[in-house]
Amino acid sequence: MNDFASTPKLVLLPAVDVADGKAVRLTQGEAGTETSYGDPVDAAMDFARQGAEWIHLVDLDAAFGRGSNAGVLRKVIKQVRGVQVELSGGIRDDRTLEAALESGAARINLGTAALENPEWAADVIGRYGDAIAVGLDVRGTTLAARGWTREGGDLWTVLDRLESAGCSRYVVTDVTKDGTLKGPNLDLLRELITRTPKPVVASGGVSSLDDIAALRDLVPLGVEGAIVGKALYAGAFTLAEALDVAGH
């Protein structure tokens, strides 16, 4: 136990995914698999009360190119004072990026744009540095784009390109695990952290406190944090319990 107590903490980012103004969860990122969990502001405030330092806030409608929840997202960010927000979904150009930064988000997670528009992504990484993370959503070692509906190239080729651009952080999701409560893809994470010195945030599949402990074991190797979604909404454990295991 002493070893575990001395392991650096794992940063937890409870997820609030917003579609049609409501907090929802998807299974394997597929449109049409939404389960609604009510008001996103209530969900975020509940996480803040339980001790969240970060919230991973996603505009699913923007990610799927079917609308925007910008007003709701701004409201969430305003309400959860003292909690930092990582914002994701549909940020593909200067206009949407500037609006996201102006909303008060501490960090922006680029997804599809980093794959489809590498020059723009490199420029943005150069301009905003640590405020930009890149989301790498993978099936096997093939990246998924456009709300996971299209292929976006080879993971390692894209990673090399982003490393050259000076990307400061990666948010890595195994699409096949997301929303399934089947455990994170530890092998993928172990391989990824050998290929970049940058911090990696793991996403997808966290189902138990044991999963959080396993991810915390990877912190000394380069995993910085974990996004936790469905397990919290399904009541597998509370955020307070998860933060305890994560070392907060």
Side-chain angles (χ1 to χ4, degrees):
M1 280 305 288
N2 290 353
D3 283 356
F4 193 67
S6 63
T7 305
K9 77 175 182 185
L10 178 75
V11 178
L12 291 187
L13 300 89
V16 179
D17 293 3
V18 184
D20 200 19
K22 299 193 171 53
V24 302
R25 295 304 303 158
L26 304 181
T27 301
Q28 296 189 344
E30 285 178 32
T33 63
E34 291 90 343
T35 308
S36 177
Y37 291 96
D39 183 346
V41 175
D42 291 346
M45 293 296 284
D46 184 43
F47 291 146
R49 275 193 293 272
Q50 291 187 64
E53 293 175 6
W54 279 89
I55 285 172
H56 182 73
L57 184 61
V58 183
D59 188 336
L60 285 175
D61 292 324
F64 285 117
R66 62 186 186 196
S68 166
N69 293 283
V72 177
L73 302 186
R74 274 198 300 275
K75 198 169 157 195
V76 171
I77 293 166
K78 217 189 233 109
Q79 295 289 331
V80 292
R81 292 217 169 94
V83 178
Q84 298 190 88
V85 172
E86 176 177 87
L87 193 57
S88 191
I91 299 159
R92 299 196 175 110
D93 52 31
D94 282 337
R95 184 184 61 79
T96 46
L97 176 65
E98 279 154 22
L101 288 164
E102 281 163 14
S103 71
R107 191 156 76 215
I108 306 302
N109 193 25
L110 294 183
T112 298
L115 308 181
E116 294 187 349
N117 195 344
E119 291 79 14
W120 178 74
D123 176 56
V124 164
I125 287 164
R127 273 189 288 160
Y128 296 103
D130 206 39
I132 303 293
V134 171
L136 299 171
D137 300 339
V138 296
R139 285 188 183 90
T141 58
T142 302
L143 288 157
R146 293 269 158 191
W148 300 350
T149 56
R150 279 197 212 153
E151 289 196 356
D154 175 72
L155 170 61
W156 309 124
T157 308
V158 172
L159 182 68
D160 287 345
R161 192 177 75 216
L162 290 165
E163 286 287 287
S164 300
C167 183
S168 66
R169 182 176 276 97
Y170 301 101
V171 178
V172 182
T173 305
D174 181 341
V175 177
T176 62
K177 300 272 193 181
D178 194 64
T180 63
L181 300 179
K182 287 182 177 164
N185 187 337
L186 298 172
D187 292 337
L188 171 70
L189 291 166
R190 282 194 197 98
E191 181 160 7
L192 195 86
I193 52 188
T194 65
R195 293 185 185 231
T196 174
K198 304 294 173 48
V200 170
V201 176
S203 169
V206 171
S207 63
S208 66
L209 295 173
D210 286 346
D211 289 341
I212 289 169
L215 288 167
R216 187 179 172 192
D217 284 340
L218 297 180
V219 171
L221 304 174
V223 170
E224 175 186 70
I227 295 168
V228 187
K230 199 161 196 173
L232 292 170
Y233 292 95
F237 49 78
T238 66
L239 180 62
E241 289 168 334
L243 287 166
D244 189 44
V245 173
H248 290 252

